[in-house]
Amino acid sequence: MSTNAPSSPAPKSGLPFALGAYSLWGVLPLYLVLLNAVNPFALVGWRTLWTIPVCAIAIAARGQIAEVKAALSNPRVFGVLVISSALISINWVVYIVAVQRGAFYAASLGYYINPLVNVLLGTIFLKERLSRLQWIAVGVAAIGVAILAFEAVDTLYISLTLALSFAAYGLLRKRVPVGSLPGLTIEVLVLAIPAVIAIALAPAASSGLNADFGLNALLFGAGLWTAIPLLLFATAARRMEYSTLGFVQFMAPTIVFILGLTVLGEPLDPVRLVCFLFIWAAIAIFCVDLLMRARARRRPAPIA
C-alpha cells in the first residue's frame, strides 16, 4: 500500500480568463461605433441595466444567490464594491466618449499606461516583487508611453483617467473577498439608479428610449459585452499576480491600436511606430522572463 499523501490540486491559472477579457475589450470599439448616436452617459446607463439580467440569470444558474446576500450584509465588502462600481462607471463613460470622438489613439494609450500603474500598485499595496528583467520591461514600456504622451498632450486626460480608474478598480476587485460574478452583480445593482437617471436626463433624440428594434438589440448586446469580459477579468485578477496581469493587458490596447490604424482610419506616423516598437519590446522581455521562471519551476530539485 502506498504511503504517499495525495497531492493537492494545482492552482487554476488565470491566464485564459485574462486573454478572453482583453480580446473582447480589444475589439469593443468596433461594437461601440455602431452606437455613436446614443448619448455616452445614456449608453453607460443601458450597459448597466442590461448587465443586471445577465448577471441575475448567471447567479441563479450557478447557485450563488447566498454569496450575493452575504456580500450585501457585510458593510466592508459592500463599501468596497460601491467604490469599485464608481470607478468602473467612470472608466466606461470616458472610454465611450473617447470612441465617439474618434480618439482611439488616446484610448489605446490609456490602456498602455494602465499596466505600468498595475505594476506600481502591485509593488506598493500587494508587496509583489519584480525580477530584474521585469523592471527592464517596465522601463522600456515607460519610454514608449512617454513618447506617446508627449505627442498626445491634448487628449492625455482621457488616457490618464482610463489608466488610473481601471488600475484602481482591478486592485479593489483583487482584494475584496467576494467572487467574480457576485461582485459584478452587486456593482451593477449599485449603479442601477444612477443609470436610470442618466438615461432620463439624456437628450430625447440620443437617450435610446425610443430606439428601433435594431438599436435595442445592440444596447442589449452592450450589456452582454459588459458582463462577460468583466467576469473574466475579475476571475483572472484573483488568480494571477497583479503585475503579471498588468502586462497581459497590453493585448487589449494593441488590438485597439491595430484597429485604429487599419479599420478605423487612425494614421500611422513615425512617433507612433517608434512607441509601438518600444511597447512590444517590453512585452517580449516580460514574456521571456515568465518563460524562464516557468522553466525553473519545472526543473527537478537536486537530490540531497
Side-chain angles (χ1 to χ4, degrees):
M1 179 181 297
S2 173
T3 58
N4 293 337
S7 59
S8 58
K12 295 180 180 179
S13 171
L15 183 59
F17 297 93
L19 294 176
Y22 292 132
S23 297
L24 288 171
W25 278 326
V27 297
L28 179 60
L30 295 178
Y31 193 91
L32 292 180
V33 294
L34 301 176
L35 293 164
N36 273 356
V38 182
N39 176 276
F41 292 95
L43 180 50
V44 169
W46 284 116
R47 286 183 72 182
T48 301
L49 294 181
W50 280 121
T51 301
I52 293 174
V54 175
C55 288
I57 293 171
I59 282 285
R62 296 176 62 175
Q64 293 182 301
I65 296 176
E67 292 183 46
V68 174
K69 292 180 178 179
L72 287 171
S73 63
N74 186 318
R76 177 184 172 275
V77 171
F78 180 69
V80 172
L81 290 174
V82 168
I83 298 172
S84 67
S85 65
L87 288 169
I88 198 61
S89 63
I90 291 170
N91 186 273
W92 289 346
V93 169
V94 173
Y95 189 79
I96 290 172
V97 168
V99 170
Q100 291 190 347
R101 287 179 51 184
F104 307 105
Y105 167 50
S108 65
L109 173 58
Y111 291 109
Y112 275 132
I113 296 173
N114 179 253
L116 303 179
V117 180
N118 285 353
V119 169
L120 181 62
L121 295 180
T123 54
I124 293 174
F125 294 103
L126 304 178
K127 309 303 180 185
E128 296 177 356
R129 294 184 178 182
L130 300 184
S131 68
R132 182 177 300 177
L133 273 180
Q134 288 173 334
W135 277 119
I136 292 174
V138 170
V140 172
I143 294 172
V145 169
I147 293 171
L148 272 177
F150 182 76
E151 288 294 311
V153 175
D154 56 333
T155 58
L156 191 57
Y157 73 95
I158 292 175
S159 304
L160 291 178
T161 302
L162 290 173
L164 294 172
S165 61
F166 199 70
Y169 172 79
L171 180 64
L172 289 179
R173 287 307 308 268
K174 182 174 179 65
R175 303 194 72 175
V176 66
V178 64
S180 308
L181 180 56
L184 176 60
T185 302
I186 293 173
E187 285 173 342
V188 292
L189 288 174
V190 167
L191 293 172
I193 293 178
V196 172
I197 294 173
I199 294 170
L201 293 180
S206 61
S207 66
L209 287 170
N210 300 314
D212 57 24
F213 176 80
L215 189 55
N216 277 323
L218 287 173
L219 290 171
F220 173 71
L224 286 174
W225 214 308
T226 299
I228 293 173
L230 275 176
L231 287 172
L232 293 172
F233 171 79
T235 302
R238 294 178 64 84
R239 296 184 179 185
M240 299 174 66
E241 286 189 356
Y242 201 50
S243 51
T244 303
L245 179 64
F247 269 86
V248 177
Q249 188 188 335
F250 276 124
M251 178 179 177
T254 298
I255 294 173
V256 175
F257 191 81
I258 293 172
L259 288 176
L261 294 174
T262 56
V263 179
L264 301 170
E266 191 87 5
L268 175 63
D269 56 48
V271 173
R272 296 182 193 183
L273 178 59
V274 170
C275 169
F276 192 70
L277 294 175
F278 266 104
I279 291 172
W280 273 103
I283 297 171
I285 294 169
F286 194 83
C287 290
V288 167
D289 180 80
L290 290 179
L291 290 173
M292 290 173 59
R293 289 197 291 169
R295 187 173 299 173
R297 285 193 297 268
R298 290 194 299 267
R299 189 177 300 136
I303 301 175

